[in-house]
mmCIF file of all heavy atoms in Angstrom:
data_model
loop_
_atom_site.group_PDB
_atom_site.id
_atom_site.type_symbol
_atom_site.label_atom_id
_atom_site.label_comp_id
_atom_site.label_asym_id
_atom_site.label_seq_id
_atom_site.Cartn_x
_atom_site.Cartn_y
_atom_site.Cartn_z
ATOM 1 N N LEU C 1105 63.925 -16.923 -27.072
ATOM 2 C CA LEU C 1105 64.520 -15.663 -26.606
ATOM 3 C C LEU C 1105 65.986 -15.560 -27.031
ATOM 4 O O LEU C 1105 66.453 -14.474 -27.395
ATOM 5 C CB LEU C 1105 64.371 -15.533 -25.089
ATOM 6 C CG LEU C 1105 62.938 -15.220 -24.609
ATOM 7 C CD1 LEU C 1105 62.804 -15.429 -23.105
ATOM 8 C CD2 LEU C 1105 62.524 -13.801 -24.982
ATOM 9 N N ASP C 1106 66.690 -16.679 -27.009
ATOM 10 C CA ASP C 1106 68.091 -16.670 -27.496
ATOM 11 C C ASP C 1106 68.139 -16.273 -28.968
ATOM 12 O O ASP C 1106 69.022 -15.514 -29.397
ATOM 13 C CB ASP C 1106 68.727 -18.061 -27.352
ATOM 14 C CG ASP C 1106 69.142 -18.364 -25.920
ATOM 15 O OD1 ASP C 1106 69.154 -17.423 -25.090
ATOM 16 O OD2 ASP C 1106 69.423 -19.545 -25.624
ATOM 17 N N ARG C 1109 67.427 -12.565 -29.428
ATOM 18 C CA ARG C 1109 68.618 -11.779 -29.066
ATOM 19 C C ARG C 1109 69.677 -11.861 -30.167
ATOM 20 O O ARG C 1109 70.318 -10.880 -30.518
ATOM 21 C CB ARG C 1109 69.159 -12.305 -27.736
ATOM 22 C CG ARG C 1109 69.969 -11.290 -27.011
ATOM 23 C CD ARG C 1109 70.161 -11.642 -25.560
ATOM 24 N NE ARG C 1109 71.430 -11.125 -25.160
ATOM 25 C CZ ARG C 1109 72.484 -11.850 -24.844
ATOM 26 N NH1 ARG C 1109 72.405 -13.155 -24.811
ATOM 27 N NH2 ARG C 1109 73.617 -11.271 -24.533
ATOM 28 N N PHE C 1118 63.858 -5.322 -28.346
ATOM 29 C CA PHE C 1118 62.787 -6.317 -28.314
ATOM 30 C C PHE C 1118 61.622 -5.665 -27.575
ATOM 31 O O PHE C 1118 61.754 -5.309 -26.402
ATOM 32 C CB PHE C 1118 63.274 -7.576 -27.581
ATOM 33 C CG PHE C 1118 62.204 -8.618 -27.356
ATOM 34 C CD1 PHE C 1118 61.252 -8.897 -28.337
ATOM 35 C CD2 PHE C 1118 62.163 -9.337 -26.168
ATOM 36 C CE1 PHE C 1118 60.276 -9.871 -28.135
ATOM 37 C CE2 PHE C 1118 61.188 -10.310 -25.955
ATOM 38 C CZ PHE C 1118 60.248 -10.576 -26.939
ATOM 39 N N PHE C 1120 57.516 -5.805 -26.395
ATOM 40 C CA PHE C 1120 56.578 -6.893 -26.111
ATOM 41 C C PHE C 1120 55.416 -6.446 -25.235
ATOM 42 O O PHE C 1120 55.536 -5.484 -24.460
ATOM 43 C CB PHE C 1120 57.311 -8.068 -25.425
ATOM 44 C CG PHE C 1120 58.033 -7.681 -24.154
ATOM 45 C CD1 PHE C 1120 57.398 -7.732 -22.924
ATOM 46 C CD2 PHE C 1120 59.344 -7.237 -24.213
ATOM 47 C CE1 PHE C 1120 58.057 -7.367 -21.765
ATOM 48 C CE2 PHE C 1120 60.014 -6.860 -23.057
ATOM 49 C CZ PHE C 1120 59.381 -6.919 -21.831
ATOM 50 N N PRO C 1154 56.743 -16.207 -15.675
ATOM 51 C CA PRO C 1154 57.222 -14.900 -15.179
ATOM 52 C C PRO C 1154 58.003 -14.204 -16.285
ATOM 53 O O PRO C 1154 59.235 -14.309 -16.373
ATOM 54 C CB PRO C 1154 58.132 -15.305 -14.002
ATOM 55 C CG PRO C 1154 58.629 -16.679 -14.376
ATOM 56 C CD PRO C 1154 57.605 -17.328 -15.269
ATOM 57 N N ILE C 1155 57.285 -13.517 -17.146
ATOM 58 C CA ILE C 1155 57.839 -13.047 -18.422
ATOM 59 C C ILE C 1155 59.103 -12.186 -18.241
ATOM 60 O O ILE C 1155 60.111 -12.411 -18.907
ATOM 61 C CB ILE C 1155 56.756 -12.289 -19.223
ATOM 62 C CG1 ILE C 1155 55.586 -13.235 -19.570
ATOM 63 C CG2 ILE C 1155 57.351 -11.659 -20.489
ATOM 64 C CD1 ILE C 1155 55.899 -14.380 -20.487
ATOM 65 N N GLY C 1156 59.046 -11.209 -17.329
ATOM 66 C CA GLY C 1156 60.202 -10.319 -17.142
ATOM 67 C C GLY C 1156 61.454 -11.098 -16.772
ATOM 68 O O GLY C 1156 62.538 -10.898 -17.341
ATOM 69 N N THR C 1157 61.298 -12.016 -15.823
ATOM 70 C CA THR C 1157 62.438 -12.811 -15.358
ATOM 71 C C THR C 1157 62.983 -13.692 -16.483
ATOM 72 O O THR C 1157 64.206 -13.821 -16.671
ATOM 73 C CB THR C 1157 61.997 -13.709 -14.178
ATOM 74 O OG1 THR C 1157 61.410 -12.874 -13.201
ATOM 75 C CG2 THR C 1157 63.141 -14.485 -13.577
ATOM 76 N N LEU C 1158 62.075 -14.289 -17.256
ATOM 77 C CA LEU C 1158 62.521 -15.177 -18.335
ATOM 78 C C LEU C 1158 63.320 -14.399 -19.383
ATOM 79 O O LEU C 1158 64.325 -14.901 -19.901
ATOM 80 C CB LEU C 1158 61.310 -15.857 -18.992
ATOM 81 C CG LEU C 1158 60.595 -16.878 -18.109
ATOM 82 C CD1 LEU C 1158 59.305 -17.359 -18.759
ATOM 83 C CD2 LEU C 1158 61.501 -18.070 -17.808
ATOM 84 N N ILE C 1159 62.884 -13.179 -19.668
ATOM 85 C CA ILE C 1159 63.608 -12.363 -20.655
ATOM 86 C C ILE C 1159 64.997 -12.003 -20.111
ATOM 87 O O ILE C 1159 66.013 -12.148 -20.807
ATOM 88 C CB ILE C 1159 62.782 -11.097 -21.008
ATOM 89 C CG1 ILE C 1159 61.519 -11.500 -21.784
ATOM 90 C CG2 ILE C 1159 63.626 -10.101 -21.809
ATOM 91 C CD1 ILE C 1159 60.544 -10.357 -22.042
ATOM 92 N N GLU C 1160 65.040 -11.597 -18.868
ATOM 93 C CA GLU C 1160 66.334 -11.233 -18.249
ATOM 94 C C GLU C 1160 67.272 -12.436 -18.176
ATOM 95 O O GLU C 1160 68.480 -12.310 -18.406
ATOM 96 C CB GLU C 1160 66.107 -10.692 -16.842
ATOM 97 C CG GLU C 1160 65.947 -9.194 -16.843
ATOM 98 C CD GLU C 1160 65.731 -8.645 -15.448
ATOM 99 O OE1 GLU C 1160 65.270 -9.384 -14.556
ATOM 100 O OE2 GLU C 1160 66.012 -7.469 -15.257
ATOM 101 N N ASN C 1161 66.710 -13.598 -17.861
ATOM 102 C CA ASN C 1161 67.535 -14.810 -17.734
ATOM 103 C C ASN C 1161 68.258 -15.177 -19.023
ATOM 104 O O ASN C 1161 69.254 -15.897 -18.999
ATOM 105 C CB ASN C 1161 66.678 -16.010 -17.310
ATOM 106 C CG ASN C 1161 66.309 -15.940 -15.846
ATOM 107 O OD1 ASN C 1161 66.812 -15.077 -15.120
ATOM 108 N ND2 ASN C 1161 65.422 -16.818 -15.401
ATOM 109 N N GLN C 1162 67.731 -14.713 -20.167
ATOM 110 C CA GLN C 1162 68.370 -15.044 -21.444
ATOM 111 C C GLN C 1162 69.336 -13.949 -21.880
ATOM 112 O O GLN C 1162 69.741 -13.900 -23.033
ATOM 113 C CB GLN C 1162 67.321 -15.306 -22.524
ATOM 114 C CG GLN C 1162 66.461 -16.535 -22.288
ATOM 115 C CD GLN C 1162 67.210 -17.779 -21.874
ATOM 116 O OE1 GLN C 1162 66.947 -18.351 -20.818
ATOM 117 N NE2 GLN C 1162 68.158 -18.219 -22.687
ATOM 118 N N GLY C 1163 69.699 -13.050 -20.954
ATOM 119 C CA GLY C 1163 70.779 -12.099 -21.235
ATOM 120 C C GLY C 1163 70.337 -10.734 -21.705
ATOM 121 O O GLY C 1163 71.179 -9.891 -22.012
ATOM 122 N N PHE C 1164 69.026 -10.499 -21.794
ATOM 123 C CA PHE C 1164 68.561 -9.162 -22.180
ATOM 124 C C PHE C 1164 68.707 -8.204 -21.005
ATOM 125 O O PHE C 1164 68.660 -8.603 -19.838
ATOM 126 C CB PHE C 1164 67.061 -9.203 -22.548
ATOM 127 C CG PHE C 1164 66.763 -9.771 -23.902
ATOM 128 C CD1 PHE C 1164 66.469 -11.120 -24.052
ATOM 129 C CD2 PHE C 1164 66.742 -8.958 -25.020
ATOM 130 C CE1 PHE C 1164 66.163 -11.653 -25.294
ATOM 131 C CE2 PHE C 1164 66.443 -9.471 -26.264
ATOM 132 C CZ PHE C 1164 66.155 -10.822 -26.402
ATOM 133 N N LYS C 1165 68.816 -6.913 -21.366
ATOM 134 C CA LYS C 1165 68.759 -5.855 -20.357
ATOM 135 C C LYS C 1165 67.404 -5.183 -20.540
ATOM 136 O O LYS C 1165 67.120 -4.640 -21.616
ATOM 137 C CB LYS C 1165 69.895 -4.863 -20.623
ATOM 138 C CG LYS C 1165 70.004 -3.771 -19.615
ATOM 139 C CD LYS C 1165 71.313 -3.005 -19.872
ATOM 140 C CE LYS C 1165 71.486 -1.872 -18.887
ATOM 141 N NZ LYS C 1165 70.538 -0.792 -19.070
ATOM 142 N N ILE C 1166 66.568 -5.249 -19.520
ATOM 143 C CA ILE C 1166 65.229 -4.658 -19.652
ATOM 144 C C ILE C 1166 65.319 -3.161 -19.393
ATOM 145 O O ILE C 1166 65.792 -2.732 -18.336
ATOM 146 C CB ILE C 1166 64.238 -5.343 -18.696
ATOM 147 C CG1 ILE C 1166 64.034 -6.791 -19.159
ATOM 148 C CG2 ILE C 1166 62.910 -4.588 -18.655
ATOM 149 C CD1 ILE C 1166 62.897 -7.543 -18.558
ATOM 150 N N SER C 1167 64.897 -2.353 -20.379
ATOM 151 C CA SER C 1167 64.980 -0.899 -20.212
ATOM 152 C C SER C 1167 63.637 -0.308 -19.804
ATOM 153 O O SER C 1167 63.582 0.838 -19.356
ATOM 154 C CB SER C 1167 65.465 -0.233 -21.507
ATOM 155 O OG SER C 1167 64.568 -0.500 -22.551
ATOM 156 N N LEU C 1169 59.681 -1.809 -18.139
ATOM 157 C CA LEU C 1169 58.761 -2.920 -17.861
ATOM 158 C C LEU C 1169 57.589 -2.417 -17.034
ATOM 159 O O LEU C 1169 57.769 -1.909 -15.925
ATOM 160 C CB LEU C 1169 59.481 -4.058 -17.120
ATOM 161 C CG LEU C 1169 58.635 -5.303 -16.852
ATOM 162 C CD1 LEU C 1169 58.130 -5.935 -18.144
ATOM 163 C CD2 LEU C 1169 59.422 -6.349 -16.055
ATOM 164 N N GLU C 1171 53.988 -3.669 -15.390
ATOM 165 C CA GLU C 1171 53.180 -4.845 -15.063
ATOM 166 C C GLU C 1171 51.860 -4.365 -14.478
ATOM 167 O O GLU C 1171 51.847 -3.491 -13.607
ATOM 168 C CB GLU C 1171 53.907 -5.718 -14.042
ATOM 169 C CG GLU C 1171 55.241 -6.229 -14.554
ATOM 170 C CD GLU C 1171 55.882 -7.233 -13.591
ATOM 171 O OE1 GLU C 1171 55.148 -7.894 -12.840
ATOM 172 O OE2 GLU C 1171 57.116 -7.307 -13.592
ATOM 173 N N THR C 1188 60.287 -3.125 -22.987
ATOM 174 C CA THR C 1188 61.351 -3.103 -24.002
ATOM 175 C C THR C 1188 62.582 -3.771 -23.394
ATOM 176 O O THR C 1188 62.941 -3.469 -22.249
ATOM 177 C CB THR C 1188 61.714 -1.643 -24.373
ATOM 178 O OG1 THR C 1188 60.530 -0.970 -24.811
ATOM 179 C CG2 THR C 1188 62.759 -1.586 -25.477
ATOM 180 N N ALA C 1189 63.202 -4.653 -24.156
ATOM 181 C CA ALA C 1189 64.440 -5.293 -23.695
ATOM 182 C C ALA C 1189 65.521 -5.095 -24.758
ATOM 183 O O ALA C 1189 65.235 -5.147 -25.963
ATOM 184 C CB ALA C 1189 64.194 -6.779 -23.460
ATOM 185 N N LEU C 1190 66.731 -4.857 -24.276
ATOM 186 C CA LEU C 1190 67.859 -4.602 -25.191
ATOM 187 C C LEU C 1190 68.770 -5.824 -25.205
ATOM 188 O O LEU C 1190 68.904 -6.514 -24.171
ATOM 189 C CB LEU C 1190 68.611 -3.356 -24.722
ATOM 190 C CG LEU C 1190 67.710 -2.131 -24.469
ATOM 191 C CD1 LEU C 1190 68.529 -0.968 -23.897
ATOM 192 C CD2 LEU C 1190 66.999 -1.706 -25.740
#
Side-chain angles (χ1 to χ4, degrees):
L1105 287 167
D1106 283 348
R1109 204 163 149 248
F1118 174 40
F1120 57 90
I1155 297 295
T1157 306
L1158 291 172
I1159 292 173
E1160 268 180 336
N1161 285 352
Q1162 294 314 122
F1164 283 93
K1165 183 171 180 291
I1166 293 193
S1167 61
L1169 183 60
E1171 299 187 27
T1188 304
L1190 309 175

